[in-house]
């Protein structure tokens, strides 16, 4: 039984959203289209490539990409054509330049900020309570001693 389950798990392949009517007859162009579409974001599904998405907009982008490749565009020209129309947000891995520097730097900066806040908090907790309080008066010390004796 385990062998059967293992064999079935090995045979499972990801289900791509590319429809049969979208597939190009030239296998080289189709492979280029599949490679490029894995790097383009579905604008409806957010963090899913147009190759994986079933959204109608993703289908339109896949068809547009294939049309550009059939027209003779290079990979860079085809992607640039789509980026010109939809912005850099359509790229799953946008280049670190211009306005995207803020996005690229935000994660590490937030990590450093959180680490600094955590460090300051833990340093504050490590102090003994006596460091921040004034010493007890003679009456307070006598009362404390009486309480501790009981």
């Amino acid at each position: 039984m385990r062998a059967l389950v293992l064999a079935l798990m090995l045979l499972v392949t990801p289900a791509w959203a590319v429809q049969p009517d979208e597939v190009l007859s030239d296998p080289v162009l189709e492979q280029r289209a599949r490679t490029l579409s894995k790097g383009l974001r579905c604008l409806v599904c957010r963090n899913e490539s147009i190759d994986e998405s079933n959204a109608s907009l993703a289908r339109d982008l896949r068809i547009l990409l294939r049309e550009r490749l059939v027209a003779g565009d290079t990979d860079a020209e085809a992607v640039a054509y789509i980026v010109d129309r939809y912005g850099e947000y359509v790229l799953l891995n946008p280049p670190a330049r211009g306005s995207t520097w803020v996005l690229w730097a935000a994660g590490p900066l937030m990590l450093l900020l959180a680490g600094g806040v955590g460090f300051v908090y833990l340093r504050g907790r490590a102090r003994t309570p006596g460091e921040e309080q004034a010493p007890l008066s003679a009456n307070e010390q006598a009362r404390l001693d009486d309480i501790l004796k009981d």
Side-chain angles (χ1 to χ4, degrees):
M1 183 65 173
R2 286 185 182 174
L4 177 64
V5 171
L6 181 61
L8 289 175
M9 287 175 55
L10 292 174
L11 293 175
V12 173
T13 58
W16 302 112
V18 177
Q19 302 298 314
D21 62 334
E22 298 174 32
V23 177
L24 297 173
S25 58
D26 182 358
V28 174
L29 279 180
E30 179 60 26
Q31 184 57 43
R32 283 177 54 203
R34 294 299 289 266
T35 302
L36 292 175
S37 64
K38 289 177 185 173
L40 296 173
R41 178 190 323 268
C42 173
L43 300 172
V44 176
C45 307
R46 305 295 168 125
N47 275 340
E48 198 172 23
S49 73
I50 63 171
D51 197 49
E52 301 166 335
S53 175
N54 287 320
S56 62
L57 180 58
R59 176 182 165 80
D60 293 343
L61 286 172
R62 287 191 303 265
I63 291 171
L64 177 62
L65 178 65
R66 283 167 171 75
E67 286 174 356
R68 298 307 310 165
L69 292 176
V70 168
D73 285 1
T74 65
D75 292 355
E77 290 171 339
V79 170
Y81 184 85
I82 292 173
V83 169
D84 286 344
R85 278 140 190 81
Y86 295 96
E88 282 189 348
Y89 182 74
V90 78
L91 298 174
L92 274 174
N93 191 12
R97 64 172 185 230
S99 63
T100 59
W101 273 112
V102 174
L103 296 174
W104 281 102
L109 288 176
M110 294 303 259
L111 180 65
L112 290 174
L113 179 66
V117 168
F119 178 76
V120 169
Y121 174 75
L122 291 176
R123 290 282 296 189
R125 284 187 52 128
R127 292 187 189 133
T128 60
E131 291 177 13
E132 297 173 7
Q133 298 176 354
L136 297 176
S137 67
N139 289 339
E140 292 170 335
Q141 185 64 46
R143 186 164 178 235
L144 179 61
D145 291 339
D146 289 339
I147 292 171
L148 290 176
K149 285 180 185 176
D150 293 336

